[in-house]
């Protein structure tokens, strides 16, 4: 006799914002930024985003949406290391080594650094799923790396050129 549940009786997937067991999530990266793992787990369990400090374990470079998504593609084409990347209403956010980048070098970019925070969903909320209008394009991993600033600059320059060419293409 078959004891496996019928498809309609299969256990439901965890709902974003519910943390069933902290060992199931890669959470060591939170501590690398001097964030509180327990506060983050509590925020997610209560349906909130976790607020993490910026400038200690990483800085965050926010790029405009279309250029940001194309930058992810360009880094992949370069076969370079790609650290966590978050999509938000404000744009696409790349986690980079602290004090390694300058927004002044990148048009329409915003650099979040020391003294600022970033709000993140649980690491298992990956596009196309969202949680409070945020999703990981590239989720944090343990051990996790960060996107190098020089890699980001080159990829962003290529992305800006590509997006501009598409926008200027005659229709």
């Amino acid at each position: 006799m078959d004891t496996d549940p019928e498809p309609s009786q299969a256990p439901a997937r965890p709902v974003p914002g519910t943390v069933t067991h902290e060992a199931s999530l890669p959470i060591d990266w939170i501590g690398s930024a001097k964030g509180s793992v327990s506060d983050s787990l509590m925020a997610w369990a209560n349906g909130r985003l976790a607020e993490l400090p910026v400038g200690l374990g990483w800085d965050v470079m926010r790029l405009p949406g279309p250029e940001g998504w194309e930058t992810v593609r360009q880094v992949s084409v370069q076969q370079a290391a790609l650290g966590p990347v978050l999509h938000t209403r404000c744009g696409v956010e790349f986690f980079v080594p602290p004090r390694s980048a300058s927004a002044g070098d990148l048009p329409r970019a915003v650099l979040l650094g020391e003294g600022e925070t970033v709000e993140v969903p649980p690491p298992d909320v990956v596009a196309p799923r969202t949680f409070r209008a945020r999703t990981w394009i590239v989720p944090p991993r343990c051990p996790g790396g960060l996107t190098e600033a020089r890699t980001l600059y080159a990829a962003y320059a290529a992305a800006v050129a590509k997006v501009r060419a598409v926008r200027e293409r005659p229709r």
Side-chain angles (χ1 to χ4, degrees):
M1 180 173 175
D2 188 3
T3 59
D4 288 340
E6 294 294 320
S8 62
Q9 298 172 344
R13 293 185 61 139
V15 175
T18 60
V19 179
T20 55
H21 190 281
E22 66 184 70
S24 66
L25 295 175
I27 55 176
D28 290 345
W29 60 277
I30 296 169
S32 71
K34 308 299 185 242
S36 168
V37 172
S38 61
D39 287 352
S40 297
L41 292 171
M42 182 66 71
W44 296 330
N46 289 318
R48 297 187 326 264
L49 297 166
E51 190 174 291
L52 300 177
V54 177
L56 301 172
W58 57 69
D59 286 346
V60 174
M61 181 67 74
R62 181 181 298 141
L63 306 179
E67 291 88 348
W69 279 93
E70 181 59 23
T71 299
V72 171
R73 195 184 77 71
Q74 291 291 330
V75 172
S76 297
V77 165
Q78 295 173 18
Q79 297 182 339
L82 188 58
V85 182
L86 188 62
H87 182 256
T88 73
R89 289 182 182 147
C90 297
V92 176
E93 300 179 346
F94 291 78
F95 288 54
V96 298
R99 297 165 297 288
S100 69
S102 168
D105 298 341
L106 303 175
R108 298 180 51 217
V110 175
L111 179 66
L112 304 178
E114 192 167 353
E116 298 184 79
T117 59
V118 62
E119 293 182 317
V120 301
D124 62 346
V125 176
V126 179
R129 293 175 51 220
T130 62
F131 178 70
R132 301 251 179 225
R134 293 174 185 264
T135 187
W136 292 104
I137 299 169
V138 178
R141 300 184 261 309
C142 295
L146 300 171
T147 303
E148 291 297 327
R150 67 182 176 277
T151 300
L152 183 61
Y153 289 0
Y156 186 59
V160 167
K162 178 143 187 175
V163 170
R164 182 179 302 136
V166 169
R167 286 181 179 149
E168 293 173 355
R169 186 180 304 151
R171 295 178 194 235

